[in-house]
Amino acid sequence: MPSMANPELPVPDGLVLRPFRGIRFTVDDLAGVTSPPYDLIDEAGVRELLDTHPNNVVRLILPGSDRHRYAEARATLHEWLSSGVLAADDRPALYVYEQSGPGILQRGLIGDVGLAGPESNIILPHEDVMPGPVADRLALMSTTEANLEPIFLLYDGAGGATTRLVDRIAASRPPLAETETSDGLRHRLWAVTDAGELASIDADLRPRQALIADGHHRYATYLELQREHRTATGGEEAGSDGVTGTAGTGGTPGSASSAGSVSPSSVPAGPVPVEPGPWDFGLALLVDSTAYPPNLKAIHRVVPGLPPEEALTKARGSWRVQEHPDLAEGLAALEKTTGPAYLLAGGDLVHLLSDPDLDQLEHAMPPGRSAGWRALNTSVLAEFLLPKVWGTDDDERSVHIVHHDPEAAVRLARTCGGTAVLLRPLAVDDVLAVAAQGERVPRKSTSFGPKPRTGLVLRLLTDMEASGSGTPVPAGDPAP
């Protein structure tokens, strides 16, 4: 991951969420053109979304017959902009976003977040990334010159001005857009354009710190895009989306250019500051986790080519093995465990692995890691069970990922002649404690929710025909 300590890159002086001109669908059936995040959609899901609406956003985020036709995504984006299927909002805004349903209420702000490497302690990752997904998203974003879906950030808002304003807007103003998706969630969106409200949000957020809840690969892609763009332009940025200002500010919220001139006192001392541009920001949803605690779900594994019988035979020398007659009983037993434990499925029966041999486990775990990191079930899986017990690397080719659904994991295991490894979800406090120490949990350890719906708001990085009138409109400027 590129370092934001590079003096040629603008470093934010805090948590910056900048207004931008959102690109939104103009169709009547808003739910029909939205989708889950790209990494939660399987092949059947793609077909279902395409059958729901011909303009579904999945055509942009997983384009073409092999889901990697990036030029096709760019052409589709241009076509939808020129035909008016997509249109830019008139003014730069932050967007209050609410998700609600049975037992669910989450509110936050969608905007341009100022990019900062982990050494800046502004936006903290908590999970490792793999090169394949980063390369895939990099190709898509650089080809389309757009952020097509927001990442998901959490912060400790402590009931501050931003949270109070978000709640007040949601309770008192008519939404800009509203829809209900097939999962039973209602989605509502409001645009915040008032200069005073934007300034209040900026002042409240700037001293705070955010945690990446979902979208580590996309955030790594944002940083790589920024580095590549800065290298290509010699470290200078004129602000092709209309942005002006100095490094570390993101501009003055509510100004005509969405990030206009800044006061001299906000300019960091030292070398001539680098002008921030559109590539120095990324589309993000920011949620106050104290007001709206997230739901953390499990991410299961499937090891193809490892039959359950072989997996059990190899595990018996280092794990306690308990047999259960069906998946429901096995999952109930897994839920009651406290230490590292996994439910193996794919055959006629299911088996619970628990109470690993402590000497073998200690020998397998890497030195220099905190006790909290070493206790995570995903750490034990990645460092002990997969490589040492089963001789399998924890990489994209050797281990398949299934979000949330244990039955789907079992079906996949049976299809590929492998073993489903079902996990308990990590505890939010454990993840936060690991991230606070500068460590990262193994890849695909966490699935925070509810995740932002893709397709409600998009963001362009360069001049495109966003108005639908044939006139190029900068992504950060008001329409003429």
Side-chain angles (χ1 to χ4, degrees), residues 39-40 214 298-300 401-406 444 446-447 451:
D39 56 348
L40 296 185
D214 186 66
I299 303 180
H300 307 298
I401 297 298
V402 178
H403 289 78
H404 314 161
D405 188 346
K444 295 299 180 181
T446 60
S447 181
K451 302 179 189 297

Side-chain angles (χ1 to χ4, degrees), residues 51 111 156 175 352 383:
D51 289 342
D156 184 354
L352 179 67
E383 300 293 339

Side-chain angles (χ1 to χ4, degrees), residues 197-254:
E197 292 178 341
L198 293 172
S200 175
I201 292 170
D202 181 66
D204 178 59
L205 292 182
R206 199 168 287 261
R208 303 189 188 275
Q209 183 183 66
L211 175 79
I212 302 175
D214 186 66
H216 283 82
H217 290 96
R218 281 167 282 161
Y219 190 76
T221 301
Y222 289 168
L223 293 176
E224 182 62 18
L225 274 173
Q226 180 193 44
R227 186 195 64 79
E228 288 188 358
H229 191 73
R230 287 287 170 182
T231 300
T233 59
E236 297 182 358
E237 177 61 66
S240 60
D241 68 346
V243 179
T244 59
T246 57
T249 65
T252 302

Side-chain angles (χ1 to χ4, degrees), residues 79-97:
E79 175 190 340
W80 289 353
L81 287 165
S82 62
S83 66
V85 171
L86 288 170
D89 285 338
D90 290 338
R91 300 176 61 188
L94 295 177
Y95 296 86
V96 171
Y97 175 41

Side-chain angles (χ1 to χ4, degrees), residues 95-136:
Y95 296 86
V96 171
Y97 175 41
E98 178 190 87
Q99 296 160 279
S100 62
I104 295 175
L105 177 63
Q106 179 172 276
R107 292 170 178 159
L109 281 172
I110 296 176
D112 277 2
V113 70
L115 304 182
E119 70 280 351
S120 300
N121 288 319
I122 297 171
I123 299 176
L124 297 180
H126 72 268
E127 191 170 279
D128 285 332
V129 298
M130 302 296 288
V134 173
D136 168 56

Side-chain angles (χ1 to χ4, degrees), residues 361-425:
L361 178 59
E362 177 67 23
H363 183 72
M365 300 304 281
R369 293 289 194 172
S370 68
W373 187 93
R374 294 159 69 90
L376 299 175
N377 60 10
T378 51
S379 298
V380 174
L381 178 68
E383 300 293 339
F384 180 43
L385 184 56
L386 285 171
K388 305 300 183 183
V389 177
W390 291 335
T392 300
D393 293 331
D394 185 19
D395 59 33
E396 302 160 88
R397 294 184 178 181
S398 304
V399 179
H400 298 328
I401 297 298
V402 178
H403 289 78
H404 314 161
D405 188 346
E407 293 182 352
V410 174
R411 289 195 299 270
L412 178 59
R414 289 171 176 164
T415 300
C416 66
T419 297
V421 186
L422 309 180
L423 290 75
R424 298 190 318 271

